[in-house]
Amino acid sequence: MSAATVIVDDAEALAVAAELAADFRKGAAERDARRQLPHAELERLSASGLLAVTVPAEFGGPDVGAETLAEIFRLLAAADASLAQIPQSHFVYVNVLRRQGSPQQQEFFFGEVLRGKRFGNAQSEAGTRHVQDIRTRLARRPDGSYVLDGVKHYATGALFADWIPVLARAEDDTLHVACVPRDAPGLTVVDDWDGMGQRTTASGTVRLESVPVPAERVVPHHLTFQGPQLHGAVAQLLHAAIDTGIASGALAEAVEFVRTKSRPWFESGFETAAEDPLLIQRFGELAVRVRAAEALLTEAGRSVDAARTDLTDDSAAEASIAVATAKVTAAEAAVEVGSALFEVSGTRSALDSLGLHRHWRDARTHTLHDPTRWKVQHIGRYVLNGTRPPRHGLL
């Protein structure tokens, strides 16, 4: 990998993201149809410097705001939701290092990120009681180093990663993150993801069999949740941005299709489908949904930025609720617009060869990540009773 560009500020980050998104959009449908993994596109993403935009300034990064980071993800997801999903965990674990990494860990790993290195993830497990029932074990050796054993699923980004952060429990049952190189002995990444949507994320299985881990590669993640934190808010903000991007990308494709390919319904009396007042009404409704999602995403990003400036229990709670609100709205918009694309475009839009169904499949798959019904519960408790949301990393 050649040296990565170092982006200097938010404006440059957004300009680079917009340029890459325009290029990534061109091949998105074909990559999805063929399940062609985006190795070349990820190399471009690394080389562009976008993966280092949250590196703190004291370590040489631009340290862009959460509002900017969310817009970067929205732009990428509007072009290719699979591609946008891959670096989500990368930024989550850069944030973990920012909060809990030692100065030596920060200097090393932030340097890696500035050189274009990518984090994947090995976090979720299947077949356990619930999503936070983590059974992968991090056992300490007599010399102070560790060894990892376990099996991870939905490991988005691991196949493309230079470093794989592994969520595991130590002997005292506390959560830690062990940062393991992709080629570590005993670590196997299995490309067995067969989801109907986000087909090219390669969110497969990671097997860990007595994987050696030096002590300096282990971060005490359990400390993240002792006190006010933005770990969950940042992670969920990026998910909200992906859903918002899916919605805006689907709407843009519907507009283009109706303008250039759809035939008017014979009863309308118009020469083009775009003149049909019933279609105009529906496009107006869909545009309202998308613009609401975009506005709430911006507001949520600003709330996270404000909380980071003055982090308290109250500011962290407000940021989490703002992000949850954006996530609920974005998830609904992505699924609705992805489906309505066919409603407004007509029979021809359902042709498999066109690949327009990828928007709905991506939306339906990604919005299963965590249930919005629980976010609505926490929003309601906060609004009605002033109950702060829990610190479990998913809000």
Side-chain angles (χ1 to χ4, degrees):
M1 178 188 297
S2 58
T5 299
V6 177
I7 289 171
V8 298
D9 57 22
D10 295 61
E12 184 182 1
L14 290 172
V16 170
E19 181 180 355
L20 284 177
D23 284 347
F24 293 162
R25 180 178 293 108
K26 297 171 186 175
E30 183 176 1
R31 286 192 297 273
D32 174 82
R34 297 185 178 184
R35 197 176 178 271
Q36 180 181 329
L37 299 182
H39 291 285
E41 289 76 15
L42 285 170
E43 289 300 313
R44 286 191 62 195
L45 192 63
S46 290
S48 74
L50 276 183
L51 296 183
V53 294
T54 58
V55 171
E58 59 264 37
F59 292 94
D63 200 8
V64 306
E67 180 184 353
T68 296
L69 185 61
E71 179 62 7
I72 289 170
F73 270 77
R74 189 197 69 80
L75 287 167
L76 293 175
D80 184 339
S82 287
L83 190 52
Q85 180 68 45
I86 292 168
Q88 191 267 347
S89 291
H90 170 92
F91 285 98
V92 168
Y93 285 104
V94 168
N95 199 36
V96 169
L97 286 162
R98 180 178 187 143
R99 183 171 172 89
Q100 298 302 339
S102 68
Q104 294 78 18
Q105 289 172 327
Q106 291 174 340
E107 182 175 4
F108 174 77
F109 280 113
F110 290 155
E112 288 283 273
V113 172
L114 284 167
R115 286 187 287 275
K117 301 295 185 181
R118 295 189 291 270
F119 286 127
N121 96 90
Q123 179 169 298
S124 295
E125 299 178 11
T128 57
R129 291 184 301 117
H130 50 71
V131 70
Q132 293 203 328
D133 181 18
I134 302 298
R135 300 184 184 182
T136 297
R137 308 309 296 187
L138 183 67
R140 196 174 185 92
R141 288 172 162 174
D143 65 359
S145 66
Y146 294 86
V147 62
L148 272 171
D149 285 282
V151 180
K152 297 292 188 176
H153 298 269
Y154 314 120
T156 303
L159 191 68
F160 312 104
D162 298 289
W163 292 92
I164 301 178
V166 181
L167 193 62
R169 292 196 182 276
E171 292 167 348
D172 62 358
D173 214 37
T174 55
L175 278 175
H176 289 68
V177 172
C179 296
V180 182
R182 170 68 178 80
D183 59 356
L187 186 152
T188 305
V189 181
V190 184
D191 181 20
D192 57 359
W193 170 244
D194 66 347
M196 69 172 182
Q198 295 198 301
R199 289 175 171 173
T200 61
T201 59
S203 300
T205 301
V206 172
R207 301 188 186 280
L208 305 145
E209 299 175 292
S210 300
V211 177
V213 186
E216 63 269 21
R217 298 291 181 259
V218 176
V219 180
H221 190 38
H222 60 101
L223 299 179
T224 299
F225 308 102
Q226 296 180 7
Q229 49 82 35
L230 297 171
H231 173 78
V234 171
Q236 290 295 308
L237 180 69
L238 302 186
H239 284 307
I242 291 168
D243 288 340
T244 304
I246 293 172
S248 60
L251 181 59
E253 290 237 44
V255 168
E256 177 66 15
F257 195 94
V258 171
R259 283 177 176 172
T260 62
K261 297 182 178 67
S262 291
R263 296 182 298 176
W265 184 242
F266 71 95
E267 292 178 284
S268 72
F270 290 99
E271 292 297 317
T272 66
E275 297 173 281
D276 184 337
L278 298 181
L279 280 181
I280 289 171
Q281 175 72 20
R282 188 63 175 127
F283 270 101
E285 293 168 351
L286 297 175
V288 168
R289 297 285 276 171
V290 172
R291 295 191 69 168
E294 292 173 344
L296 287 170
L297 181 69
T298 298
E299 180 186 340
R302 291 173 181 171
S303 185
V304 171
D305 285 332
R308 181 171 287 157
T309 300
D310 182 21
L311 187 59
T312 65
D313 285 330
D314 287 336
S315 66
E318 182 59 35
S320 289
I321 293 300
V323 171
T325 304
K327 180 65 171 68
V328 170
T329 304
E332 292 174 348
V335 173
E336 179 182 354
V337 180
S339 176
L341 185 157
F342 304 100
E343 169 196 337
V344 296
S345 301
T347 306
R348 186 180 175 189
S349 64
L351 292 177
D352 188 61
S353 59
L354 296 178
L356 296 176
H357 46 62
R358 76 182 187 281
H359 298 291
W360 182 86
R361 288 187 289 99
D362 287 344
R364 187 64 282 175
T365 301
H366 183 255
T367 55
L368 299 176
H369 186 274
D370 48 271
T372 57
R373 58 186 177 274
W374 274 98
K375 297 184 189 304
V376 174
Q377 278 284 310
H378 291 304
I379 294 167
R381 292 170 185 172
Y382 182 76
V383 170
L384 186 59
N385 299 315
T387 304
R388 297 189 189 107
R391 297 170 179 162
H392 55 40
L394 292 173
L395 277 169

